[in-house]
């Protein structure tokens, strides 16, 4: 998979759905940089916490089958965005890793734990974008979700 380019049904470039999806797909490399630059020793638990929140967000998206479902999920998605911000702040407070080796271990842990969620996110976004009404609505809601 190569992000948005591999979606069989793509949102229109410039649409709200397109911008929201692109912003959230860009979040992964930024999270990686945050984890590497601000990683803590030994706290794989902090990485796992952020991964769990992201997994919960994807689970909410997986349960959406209609425009009404999108509206019903709005509050939960916004709450999950706040949880992600809080988890990111706690992670930053841990400080720098002790060594380059520890930094590499944390990066490996992060990449392993996020890989499954990345695949799930791409699959659910493809499904949601197949229906233009749902795709546009979820784009609006996701544009409101601040992951930090």
């Amino acid at each position: 998979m190569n992000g948005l380019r591999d979606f069989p049904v793509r949102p229109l470039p410039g649409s709200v759905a397109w911008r929201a999806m692109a912003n959230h797909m860009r979040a992964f490399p930024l999270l990686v940089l945050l984890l590497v630059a601000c990683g803590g020793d030994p706290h794989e638990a902090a990485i796992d916490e952020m991964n769990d929140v992201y997994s919960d967000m994807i689970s909410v998206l997986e349960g959406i089958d209609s425009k009404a479902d999108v509206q019903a999920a709005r509050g939960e998605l916004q709450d999950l965005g706040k949880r992600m911000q809080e988890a990111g702040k706690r992670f930053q407070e841990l400080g720098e890793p002790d060594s380059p080796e520890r930094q590499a271990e944390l990066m490996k842990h992060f990449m392993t734990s996020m890989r499954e969620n990345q695949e799930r996110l791409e699959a659910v976004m493809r499904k949601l974008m197949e229906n233009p009404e749902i795709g546009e609505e979820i784009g609006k809601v996701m544009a409101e979700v601040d992951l930090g």
Side-chain angles (χ1 to χ4, degrees), residues 23-38:
N23 286 336
H24 286 286
M25 296 297 257
R26 279 185 286 220
F28 282 105
L30 294 175
L31 284 173
V32 170
L33 290 174
L34 170 70
L35 292 172
V36 171
C38 304

Side-chain angles (χ1 to χ4, degrees), residues 61-75:
L61 293 172
E62 288 171 337
I64 294 175
D65 292 316
S66 68
K67 275 181 74 169
D69 291 341
V70 174
Q71 291 307 315
R74 173 181 257 123

Side-chain angles (χ1 to χ4, degrees), residues 1-44:
M1 287 276 143
N2 193 8
L4 295 174
R5 291 179 294 231
D6 290 333
F7 286 173
V9 178
R10 296 182 184 119
L12 295 174
S15 70
V16 172
W18 178 270
R19 289 190 306 273
M21 282 177 36
N23 286 336
H24 286 286
M25 296 297 257
R26 279 185 286 220
F28 282 105
L30 294 175
L31 284 173
V32 170
L33 290 174
L34 170 70
L35 292 172
V36 171
C38 304
D41 187 345
H43 298 293
E44 281 104 8

